[in-house]
Amino acid sequence: MKIFVVAAFLGSPSACFGFVAPLTTSTCYKKVTAPILPLRVVSDLKKSTISKHDDTPGSTVPFTISFDEICLEDIPKVGGKTASLGEMIQRLQPLGVDVPGGFGVTSSAYDAVLDQLHLREQLGVKLESLDVSNLERLAEVGRECRKMIMEVGLPEDVRNAIESAYTEMCTDGSQCSVAVRSSATAEDLPNASFAGQQASFLNIIGPSAVADAVLECFASIFTDRAITYRAHNNFDHLKVKGAVAVQLMVRSDLASAGVAFTLDPDTGFRDVCVITGSYGLGESVVGGKVDPDEVQVFKPMIGKVEDPIISRLIGRKQTSIIYTDGDSKERTKTIMTAEEDQARRSFSDEDTKQLAQWCVEIERHYSLLHGHPTPMDIEWAKDGITGQLYIVQARPETVRARQEANAFRQTTVKHSAKDSIIDGTAIGSDAATGTACVIENLSDISKMSKGEILVADITDPDWVPAIRMASAVVTNRGGRTCHAAIVSRELGVPCIVGAKGATELLKDGKKYTVDCSRGATGRIYEGEASIEKNVISIKDLPQTKTKIQLILAHPETAFLHSSLPVAGVGLVRQEFVTANAIGIHPNAVLFPERLDEDERRLIEEKAKNDNSPKAFFVRRLSEGIGSIAAAFYPRPITVRLGDFKSNEYRRLIGGKHFEPEEENPMIGLRGASRYLHPDYVDAFNLECEALLHVRDRMGLDNVQLMVPFCRTTEEANGVVNALAKNGLKRGKDGLKVWCMCELPSNVFAIDSFASFFDGFSIGSNDLTQLVLGIDRDSGELAHLFDEENEAVKTAIREAIQGSKRNGKLVGLCGQAPSDKPDFAEFLVSEGIDSISLTPDAVITAINIVAKAEKKACA
């Protein structure tokens, strides 16, 4: 495809590109002479006379209309996909959002096909009283309907119009490559996506081939999946009309392409752009043929900070779809992706930021257009010849956008199995049980029974009838933006994609539990677990004076839990982020010469896409903390500095070379003592580098810090100074530094400790352990471990009173208040400011604390 430099025109305020007139005007925008924007590269669409669009009342809709004369109100004429492309070219391309040009084949052309030989009436007879749950009959009727359309063909005037529009679009006399995509009049609507229900054809060249592809798109109105979708969504089969978008191809076969959502599609979290991509044409990602790369960008910081990216994951990208050579009938082919390409990202950070900026612009425009927030599902492509990025499709997201805002859905899965059989990427946050139905080929979907778990390599739109019947879906391949994921979300079916080897490990006819309730990782267990589902109305929960906060350790659950009615996160267990997201001892990336050869090789493999193992460590830790901070922004999150004990640090890669073997690590080298120890100062500095990155370069200044196991005021002074030397100065840009009040020395000397910290968080587990002299890991003494012991309560009372006496905030981290109403009542009566708990205990705790506060006021 050749690229030309053209001038883009800006309309007057009341014309096509203006923003003064209401966005929901009754006619499409009309281009007028206006100032010229700076020259830039856009697709080679000749904006002249491709079937000029006449909006005057009573006029006949032409068979083809140029994208640059189409707007969103033209959906009845050109369908949702084409209308959206025209809308973006008219309104967003002047703002820098590049969209390849093309033309739409209108519903008038489709009507002209059905007006031949009483075809409309014949189709009506075929579809009358069709039971779409009868898959064999559905396939038979769909096949007959498509055959009837293909046999009647395009009327001569329709074919001539399509071929003429194509020829005119290929401005230099050559035959350009185009995508021919269905754009039905009920497709890509705000309340019904019709995703993948009709046909698309890529790399089509030549006027006759384009016309033939248009006819096949018209016939695909009657695919099994499209018939089923219309039936379940109460659309009249003959009132939904065919239309087609003919769009210039972007040479992403030489680069990459993918899908972006302007919200998290599985939790509905609105402040993130989720961008997925893989090498070659975007059908690999959309069709679930690969496990794509995925990058998350925090929308409020786009264009404001150096690094708004909060997560980068590299997928397996098993295959790539590229152009075929020569005159092959098949215009594309699938090849295996080279190992070195699988191991690296298919799109850069710079690409990510540009795409995210465009996604925000697109979402903003469509939200204004519709009069309410409108998250978007967007397809993008990168041209491998020019390096230019393009948006090739945009439609409203139709699942999470319709979710009730003031309701929290909580699914709890209880199973006896210790370990899952297989894991993958969770779609949604639900769970289901059922009997596995392993289907290798599409031709076998008729064996599927309602309520079974569909297990397949991948799914495409033809599998929709089977997905509708499934209690859950599991696929070997695919990412969060693939077809199986999109359809499963829309149907409310739990789904796990990218579960490598599922079709081999899961046995046909055996019972399993599919669990997507625990964050980004979906897990499959043997047998049928007990599943409890609750929908909690947040607006009906009582308000509490005592702040309820969360305890979190896993960044992948943050978006899910951000909708809970909490004041923030009172404890982020940073050491768990290090263990799960990195798995390497911090000293191991700083002193590789002390490692075994196997350990060095393993670390180098983990860090191969970063500049160094140290850069890998800092990036992964900052992304983990940043994901949690972004999920709750601007609510504060308090990150406890690393608090693993020496025996736990030893389990990390390389840890055995740097950790002592202590007799009692629970009261050994941990917390503040570790940060100041000469053997671990460099490791602490590395931790600080990641935290500074989160606050300064990611802009997440809602991050507060907390020092654990701080034995003396000398240690308090040393750690606060060490933080300041690393750029984390208490008070700078609102940074607060807290202290875990978990040692008797913290309680007895709280007046002295108060001068170094902004607040205290009572760690009930360690405080109980040390007040009672009990190893909290001891099974033999477990019956004596009790936060309600009078000695422990006295220590807690002294800590609260001492904090108040020094004008400091004080909270408590632990489950006891949600399990023991009397303990919650005690905390409230003593004036505790906040209570932090794990997410599953929040709703119970709110009700218990509210009752305690009411009783205290009585």
Side-chain angles (χ1 to χ4, degrees), residues 714-744:
E714 289 78 15
E715 284 190 339
N717 183 56
V719 173
V720 170
N721 286 336
L723 288 170
K725 288 179 182 178
N726 281 284
L728 296 166
K729 185 176 182 180
R730 179 184 167 208
K732 181 184 177 184
D733 298 324
L735 175 62
K736 293 182 179 180
V737 180
W738 289 59
C739 178
M740 286 291 293
C741 184
E742 54 192 345
L743 307 174

Side-chain angles (χ1 to χ4, degrees), residues 220-488:
S220 73
I221 292 289
F222 298 99
T223 58
D224 302 357
R225 68 226 186 211
I227 294 171
T228 301
Y229 192 96
R230 288 193 296 271
H232 283 282
N233 286 277
N234 298 314
F235 283 94
D236 188 310
H237 291 296
L238 295 178
K239 288 185 179 178
V240 174
K241 297 183 179 183
V244 177
V246 179
Q247 185 179 39
L248 287 159
M249 286 289 293
V250 174
R251 290 304 304 268
S252 61
D253 62 306
L254 303 175
S256 57
V259 177
F261 280 90
T262 62
L263 83 175
D264 180 71
D266 292 307
T267 64
F269 179 67
R270 294 291 183 95
D271 282 342
V272 69
C273 279
V274 177
I275 302 173
T276 61
S278 188
Y279 294 109
L281 302 179
E283 299 304 303
S284 290
V285 177
V286 175
K289 297 176 175 64
V290 298
D291 304 335
D293 300 326
E294 179 180 310
V295 181
Q296 298 176 359
V297 187
F298 188 45
K299 284 157 59 177
M301 295 301 167
I302 293 173
K304 298 178 181 177
V305 297
E306 180 182 344
D307 183 17
I309 299 173
I310 58 174
S311 176
R312 301 167 177 86
L313 297 176
I314 295 177
R316 288 183 286 169
K317 304 182 292 296
Q318 299 92 325
T319 58
S320 306
I321 299 177
I322 64 172
Y323 287 9
T324 54
D325 299 323
D327 298 323
S328 171
K329 182 179 179 181
E330 297 297 327
R331 301 303 303 162
T332 63
K333 63 181 179 181
T334 300
I335 62 171
M336 298 302 297
T337 305
E339 286 188 16
E340 59 268 27
D341 288 335
Q342 290 185 35
R344 61 185 178 87
R345 280 245 312 278
S346 57
F347 55 102
S348 67
D349 280 0
E350 290 69 28
D351 293 337
T352 298
K353 294 173 189 178
Q354 178 65 81
L355 288 169
Q357 182 67 57
W358 286 355
C359 287
V360 169
E361 292 286 356
I362 292 168
E363 181 183 43
R364 181 184 295 120
H365 176 71
Y366 280 80
S367 297
L368 286 169
L369 202 63
H370 293 301
H372 56 77
T374 306
M376 300 295 289
D377 172 356
I378 298 164
E379 294 183 25
W380 64 271
K382 183 173 184 177
D383 193 296
I385 297 174
T386 66
Q388 179 75 13
L389 290 166
Y390 291 92
I391 299 299
V392 297
Q393 195 174 141
R395 55 178 167 259
E397 191 275 344
T398 59
V399 180
R400 295 297 173 182
R402 291 183 287 171
Q403 188 171 286
E404 185 181 346
N406 291 314
F408 182 78
R409 291 160 180 79
Q410 193 170 54
T411 297
T412 304
V413 179
K414 298 178 181 178
H415 50 78
S416 56
K418 290 184 179 180
D419 299 312
S420 56
I421 298 173
I422 190 171
D423 297 344
T425 300
I427 304 303
S429 54
D430 208 344
T433 62
T435 301
C437 181
V438 181
I439 299 180
E440 299 285 354
N441 299 301
L442 179 62
S443 58
D444 295 328
I445 66 170
S446 59
K447 80 172 191 177
M448 180 90 184
S449 298
K450 189 171 180 61
E452 291 184 322
I453 298 171
L454 172 61
V455 183
D457 181 38
I458 61 171
T459 72
D460 62 27
D462 288 322
W463 292 70
V464 170
I467 296 175
R468 284 189 172 278
M469 300 173 67
S471 61
V473 176
V474 180
T475 66
N476 291 335
R477 295 183 280 163
R480 291 206 296 154
T481 55
C482 74
H483 175 267
I486 292 171
V487 172
S488 294

Side-chain angles (χ1 to χ4, degrees), residues 13-15 18-25 91:
S14 61
F19 287 86
V20 176
L23 289 173
T24 52
T25 53
R91 301 297 291 261

